[in-house]
Amino acid sequence: MTMQARRGTGTDTADTDTDTRTLARPAREATTSTDVRDASPSGRVIRDHVDALHGVLTALQSEADHLASWGRTLADHLEAGGRALVAGNGGSAAEAQHLTAELVGRFDGDRKAYSAIALNADSSSVTAIGNDYGFDEVFARQVRAHARPGDVVILLSTSGASANLLSAAAACAEVGARSWAVTGPGPNPLSTACDDAICLPGSSPNVQEAELVAVHAVCLAFDARLREFATERPGTRS
């Protein structure tokens, strides 16, 4: 009983000590979110980055009809059995895979799968071609292998000057495929080399972020066109 009493007393003492230490701490001055925001250099950098993105997105918004035309054309071609090829480097490579995933999988509601290949995603082909023919040919050789006349090849580049994408655009012309580009500020070599292009003013990171919005915009128009098909041809599964 004595030991239990001591344990109880010890616990009570520890709790009391903790309370005393807590009460003895000097009170912190209250800070508001404005104080933290104004005092943070990194916060200012982030605000500047997001502010700059607004301008790029405004430019992209002005291309709404352009993107809608791409989505509709892509839907017409893929529904007829054609194929889309997409390529980019670095972060743009990720968006290339993003777009093909939406087409092969789905974006807005269930529908059948469509043929779309991200040329940067096949690491064995990219490294083999790069090793044997040079990095400038990693996409062009795949375009020559996979693209058929009328197929759509979409090239994403924040600089608009990547040599391997320029080679891919040239390969499109060789095989009769249509080449579209989403790039940074234009005109630039890639926008000039492709059949059609959307050039966005802004820094490389902001243009790359806008690529995601462009990808989703094309998918919205693509799926809207498929719903038109379903209306025109009742009983078909889009």
Side-chain angles (χ1 to χ4, degrees):
M1 291 296 291
T2 303
M3 291 178 66
Q4 290 176 352
R6 284 175 182 153
R7 286 195 193 103
T9 302
T11 302
D12 292 341
T13 301
D15 290 342
T16 302
D17 290 345
T18 301
D19 292 341
T20 302
R21 286 194 300 271
T22 302
L23 292 172
R25 291 174 185 155
R28 294 181 178 178
E29 292 184 7
T31 58
T32 66
S33 58
T34 302
D35 295 330
V36 173
R37 187 171 64 241
D38 291 343
S40 170
S42 57
R44 287 194 295 273
V45 170
I46 292 170
R47 285 200 308 283
D48 290 345
H49 178 83
V50 175
D51 285 344
L53 178 60
H54 290 165
V56 182
L57 292 178
T58 298
L60 184 64
Q61 188 175 41
S62 72
E63 299 283 358
D65 291 339
H66 199 164
L67 290 164
S69 175
W70 281 9
R72 291 172 63 85
T73 299
L74 193 60
D76 289 345
H77 183 63
L78 269 58
E79 178 67 15
R83 173 178 294 150
L85 305 177
V86 194
N89 295 295
S92 296
E95 293 311 327
Q97 289 179 244
H98 187 156
L99 177 54
T100 57
E102 303 286 20
L103 296 173
V104 176
R106 65 178 188 177
F107 178 71
D108 182 19
D110 194 26
R111 57 162 166 74
K112 71 181 186 182
Y114 290 92
S115 180
I117 302 171
L119 302 181
N120 46 266
D122 185 347
S123 59
S124 293
S125 290
V126 167
T127 53
I129 296 168
N131 187 61
D132 294 340
Y133 298 96
F135 193 67
D136 290 358
E137 288 295 309
V138 294
F139 302 139
R141 193 163 180 85
Q142 292 186 77
V143 167
R144 296 186 189 100
H146 299 303
R148 300 294 179 263
D151 278 347
V152 177
V153 180
I154 303 174
L155 306 173
L156 307 177
S157 173
T158 60
S159 70
S162 299
N164 55 8
L165 295 175
L166 291 170
S167 295
C172 289
E174 290 175 24
V175 301
R178 288 170 283 187
S179 55
W180 301 344
V182 178
T183 75
N188 55 64
L190 186 61
S191 69
T192 302
C194 287
D195 297 321
D196 197 5
I198 292 175
C199 301
L200 300 173
S203 67
S204 184
N206 286 145
V207 171
Q208 201 164 89
E209 290 152 355
E211 286 177 352
L212 167 59
V213 182
V215 163
H216 281 173
V218 168
C219 289
L220 284 168
F222 182 92
D223 282 2
R225 180 60 172 157
L226 295 183
R227 285 190 288 272
E228 290 178 13
F229 292 154
T231 301
E232 294 166 2
R233 294 171 288 184
T236 62
R237 179 177 177 269
S238 61

